[in-house]
Amino acid sequence: MASSLATAPAAVREMQSDLESQANALSKIQKDISKNHEVRKQFTIQVGENELVLKELELLNEGANVYKLIGPVLVKQDNAEAKANIKKRIEYITAELERMDRALKDLEEKQNSKKESLFGVRERL
Amino acid sequence: MIALAVSALLSPSLPTSPPPPPLPPSPSPTSSGVGQQAAMASPARIDVDKLSVEQLKALKEQTDLEVNLLQDSLSKIRTAATRLENATAALHELSLRPQGKKLLVPLTASLYVPGTLDDSEKVLVDVGTGYYIEKTMTQGKEYCERKINLLKSNFDELLEMATKKKSIADEMGMFLQAKLRQASPSSSS
C-alpha cells in the first residue's frame, strides 16, 4: 500500500505531462489544418482564373494574337501553345488541390484520434 | 513633341472578384471555406433549443463572421463591376475618336506624354494570369459586357446567400435573448 501511495503522485505527474504533450500535438495539427485551408483557397482562386483565361482563348478565332506578360515584356505567343500551357497549369493545380484534400483528411483523422486519446488521459486523471 | 504611335491599350484587370462558392464558371472564387462553414452551420440549427447559452453564443458569433465575409465579398464584386463599367465607357470613348487624334499618354501617375491615336480598331485585353489577347474594338466591348454580366449574376447569387445567412443570424440572436431571459426569470422585482 505504501509503495502504491508513493508511486501515485509520480504517475499523476506523468499523466499530466502526457496530457500536455498530447495537447501540444493537437494544437499543432489544428495549425496544420488551417494552413491547409489557406493554401487550398489560393489554389482554388488560381484554378478559377486559369479556367477563365482558357475560355477566352477558346473563343478566339485562329487569327488573333496572344501575348504573355513575362516581367516587363509582352511576348507574342502562339495561340495553340498558350492554350496548351494554360491547360497544363490547370491540370497541375487540380492535382495539387487533390493532394491537399487527401492531406486534409489525414490531418482531420489524426486530430480526432488525438482528441479521443486526450479525453482518455483526462478521465484517467 | 514626341509623336508616339499608340495602339489602343486596354487592361480592365479584374481584382480578385469573389463569386459564391457553388458556381461552376467562376472568376477567382475567394473562399470555398465559406461554403464549408455554411454547410457545417445548417445541421446544428435544427436542435437549437437543446443548445446551452454558451454554445448558442458561439454559433451566433460564427454566423456573424460568415455574414461579414459575405458582405465583404459583395462589396468587392461591386467594385470590380464598377471598374469594368469604367473600362467599357473608356472603350466607347476611344472608338469615337478618329485616327491621328492627339492624346496624352500616362507614363507614370504624374507624367503624361503627348501622342497620337494610331488605330483604335485593335485592343489588347488582359484576361488574367499574365495573358493579353488582341481583339477588335467590338470584341473588346463584348468581352467587357460578358464579364459584367458574369459579375452581376455572381453578385445576385451572393446577395441571396448573404440575406439567408443574415436571417439565420438574426433568428439565433432572438433565440439567445429568449434563452437569457429564461435563465434569469427573477430579474424583475
Side-chain angles (χ1 to χ4, degrees), chain A residues 37 40-41 45 48-50 52-53 55-57 59-60 64-69 74 77 82 85-86 89, chain B residues 14 16 24-32 36 124 127-135 139 143 146-147 150:
Chain A
H37 275 305
R40 276 178 77 234
K41 219 194 290 185
I45 295 180
E49 204 180 341
N50 277 298
L52 263 189
V53 181
K55 235 189 283 169
E56 286 298 321
L57 285 178
L59 280 175
L60 279 184
N65 298 324
V66 176
Y67 300 86
K68 186 167 153 74
L69 192 68
L74 258 185
Q77 286 244 312
N85 228 326
I86 296 266
R89 227 189 271 178
Chain B
L14 278 177
T16 49
S26 48
S28 38
T30 169
S31 38
S32 57
Q36 288 172 348
L124 265 182
V127 290
T129 68
Y131 276 92
Y132 290 73
I133 304 182
E134 197 178 60
K135 288 183 187 272
Q139 283 175 337
Y143 174 85
R146 243 182 300 144
K147 280 278 140 66
L150 189 63

Side-chain angles (χ1 to χ4, degrees), chain A residues 85-96:
Chain A
N85 228 326
I86 296 266
K87 276 194 201 137
K88 239 183 273 160
R89 227 189 271 178
I90 292 183
E91 277 177 28
Y92 172 73
I93 299 185
T94 9
E96 284 292 306

Side-chain angles (χ1 to χ4, degrees), chain B residues 1-2 7 20-22 26-27 32 38 40 42 46 62 64 80 97 99 109 137 145-146 154 158 163 166 168 179 188:
Chain B
M1 244 205 210
I2 311 170
S7 66
S26 48
S32 57
M40 286 194 300
S42 30
I46 305 174
Q62 193 191 5
D64 280 339
R97 306 290 176 238
Q99 200 179 22
M137 177 58 81
E145 249 188 74
R146 243 182 300 144
N154 286 353
L158 206 60
T163 32
K166 184 116 200 348
I168 293 180
K179 272 263 151 82
S188 57

Side-chain angles (χ1 to χ4, degrees), chain A residues 14-32 110-122 125:
Chain A
E14 191 187 308
M15 283 210 275
Q16 276 181 339
S17 64
D18 191 27
L19 191 69
E20 265 188 54
S21 61
Q22 294 234 15
N24 286 342
L26 184 65
S27 69
K28 183 172 175 306
I29 294 184
Q30 284 174 332
K31 256 185 255 160
D32 285 339
K110 262 195 240 157
Q111 183 193 41
N112 289 339
S113 63
K114 267 280 172 256
K115 271 194 198 157
E116 284 172 19
S117 61
L118 210 70
F119 281 147
V121 173
R122 223 180 276 165
L125 255 173

Side-chain angles (χ1 to χ4, degrees), chain B residues 158-176:
Chain B
L158 206 60
L159 192 62
E160 218 184 288
M161 266 182 81
T163 32
K164 256 189 251 168
K165 272 272 132 128
K166 184 116 200 348
S167 64
I168 293 180
D170 290 339
E171 273 190 54
M172 276 202 226
M174 292 195 311
F175 268 122
L176 190 62

Side-chain angles (χ1 to χ4, degrees), chain B residues 57-164:
Chain B
K57 221 186 286 183
L59 207 57
K60 181 173 186 313
E61 279 178 16
Q62 193 191 5
T63 326
D64 280 339
L65 254 144
E66 290 168 19
V67 168
N68 282 341
L69 238 127
L70 287 172
Q71 303 274 24
D72 205 26
S73 312
L74 271 175
S75 64
K76 280 205 200 126
I77 291 192
R78 240 179 281 146
T79 327
T82 320
R83 284 182 59 168
L84 267 178
E85 281 171 21
N86 289 343
T88 323
L91 251 190
H92 183 67
E93 283 297 319
L94 208 55
S95 65
L96 292 177
R97 306 290 176 238
Q99 200 179 22
K101 182 110 172 103
K102 301 262 174 62
L103 49 76
L104 286 172
V105 182
L107 285 187
T108 68
S110 39
L111 179 61
Y112 286 75
V113 172
T116 48
L117 185 58
D118 176 32
D119 176 21
S120 61
E121 193 43 40
K122 293 256 180 73
V123 286
L124 265 182
V125 179
D126 176 9
V127 290
T129 68
Y131 276 92
Y132 290 73
I133 304 182
E134 197 178 60
K135 288 183 187 272
T136 63
M137 177 58 81
T138 23
Q139 283 175 337
K141 286 191 192 163
E142 278 171 27
Y143 174 85
C144 284
E145 249 188 74
R146 243 182 300 144
K147 280 278 140 66
I148 291 184
N149 289 339
L150 189 63
L151 281 184
K152 280 214 180 105
S153 67
N154 286 353
F155 183 82
D156 291 334
E157 284 198 37
L158 206 60
L159 192 62
E160 218 184 288
M161 266 182 81
T163 32
K164 256 189 251 168

